[in-house]
């Protein structure tokens, strides 16, 4: 059972468009991470958010952690084909010894 | 610095056979994780080691899966006997184990197909 629900499951857009993917849970997390996974590779960390309401920006990517620390979003501005991949959110609880619960992921395809 | 190494990259076996996967984590990383990722799903933690001790193996099917981390470095994950539903990518990850910024570094995974 996935504690983290990600939506949409699949997103196909044209280069230059914007997109937002969501990660929701009924659980409170002490931290939440976003990873990107490309075919044949393991996930690679993009960002960690720990404070409710926190917003982090990495170039064209904007990450937000909900005030109640139960949800998060990832917004990509002016998407490029290199942004194609599986975007995974993962949450850690305070008593989890660093254990992460992963969502099922959002598959993003950006076409030229 | 070298990343997490895994071998083999691909393995095809028949049901009821045995298989073993190997992982070499990033040097100095005390925490090592094994995940199972079924197609269309996110990674599911099977077992977590802190040095050579098990921290969490609550989701490891212990009747057929086993894992060890001798000397707190390399680790092996074994399945015996394999079932069709074990077809998945098995990912190994390591971290310094410092929450909350507990970045996990993943290897490329081993894709297992059980026929």
């Amino acid at each position: 059972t996935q504690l983290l629900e990600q939506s949409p499951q699949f997103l196909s857009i044209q280069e230059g468009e914007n997109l937002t993917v969501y990660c929701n849970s009924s659980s409170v997390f002490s931290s939440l991470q976003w990873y990107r996974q490309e075919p044949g590779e393991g996930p690679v960390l993009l960002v960690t958010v720990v404070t409710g309401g926190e917003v982090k920006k990495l170039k064209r990517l904007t990450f937000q952690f909900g005030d109640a620390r139960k949800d998060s979003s990832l917004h990509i501005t002016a998407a490029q084909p290199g942004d194609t991949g599986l975007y995974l959110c993962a949450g850690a609880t305070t008593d989890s010894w660093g254990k992460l619960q992963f969502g099922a992921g959002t598959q993003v395809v950006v076409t030229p | 610095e070298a990343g997490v190494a895994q071998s083999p990259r691909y393995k095809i076996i028949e049901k009821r056979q045995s298989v073993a996967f190997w992982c070499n984590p990033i040097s100095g990383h005390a925490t090592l994780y094994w995940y199972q990722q079924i197609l269309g799903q996110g990674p599911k933690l099977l077992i977590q080691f802190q040095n050579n001790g098990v921290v969490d193996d609550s989701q490891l099917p212990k009747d057929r899966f086993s894992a060890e981390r001798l000397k707190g470095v390399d680790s092996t994950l074994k399945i015996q006997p394999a079932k069709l539903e074990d077809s998945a990518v098995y990912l190994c990850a390591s971290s310094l184990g410092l929450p909350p910024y507990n970045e996990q570094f993943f290897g490329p995974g081993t894709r297992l197909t059980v026929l």
Side-chain angles (χ1 to χ4, degrees), chain B residues 27-110:
Chain B
S27 177
H29 281 194
T31 311
L32 185 147
Y33 312 80
W34 282 102
Y35 289 89
Q36 179 192 60
Q37 186 174 24
I38 293 173
L39 187 64
Q41 298 182 18
K44 182 184 84 170
L45 181 69
L46 293 175
I47 188 166
Q48 177 181 344
F49 291 94
Q50 184 72 19
N51 296 308
N52 60 348
V54 175
V55 173
D56 187 329
D57 63 357
S58 58
Q59 297 195 85
L60 186 73
K62 299 180 185 63
D63 58 334
R64 299 183 300 106
F65 286 64
S66 64
E68 61 181 7
R69 190 183 184 194
L70 300 177
K71 301 180 181 178
V73 182
D74 293 6
S75 178
T76 56
L77 175 70
K78 297 179 181 179
I79 307 175
Q80 179 179 10
K83 293 185 176 181
L84 296 177
E85 59 261 36
D86 297 332
S87 293
V89 175
Y90 289 85
L91 295 163
C92 178
S94 68
S95 74
L96 287 171
L98 301 175
Y101 294 98
N102 186 37
E103 178 177 2
Q104 295 188 20
F105 295 83
F106 285 82
T110 296

Side-chain angles (χ1 to χ4, degrees), chain A residues 2 31 33 35 37 40-43 45 48 50 56 86 88 96-100 102-104, chain B residues 9 33 35 37 40-43 45 48 55-56 58 91 99-104 106-108:
Chain A
Q2 307 274 178
S31 66
Q33 298 179 334
Y35 289 79
Q37 185 177 22
E41 301 294 331
L45 181 69
T48 301
V50 298
K56 281 191 174 179
L86 179 68
L88 295 158
S96 63
W97 278 82
K99 171 182 170 181
L100 293 175
F102 279 85
Chain B
R9 291 296 309 272
Y33 312 80
Y35 289 89
Q37 186 174 24
Q41 298 182 18
L45 181 69
Q48 177 181 344
V55 173
D56 187 329
S58 58
L91 295 163
Y101 294 98
N102 186 37
E103 178 177 2
Q104 295 188 20
F106 285 82

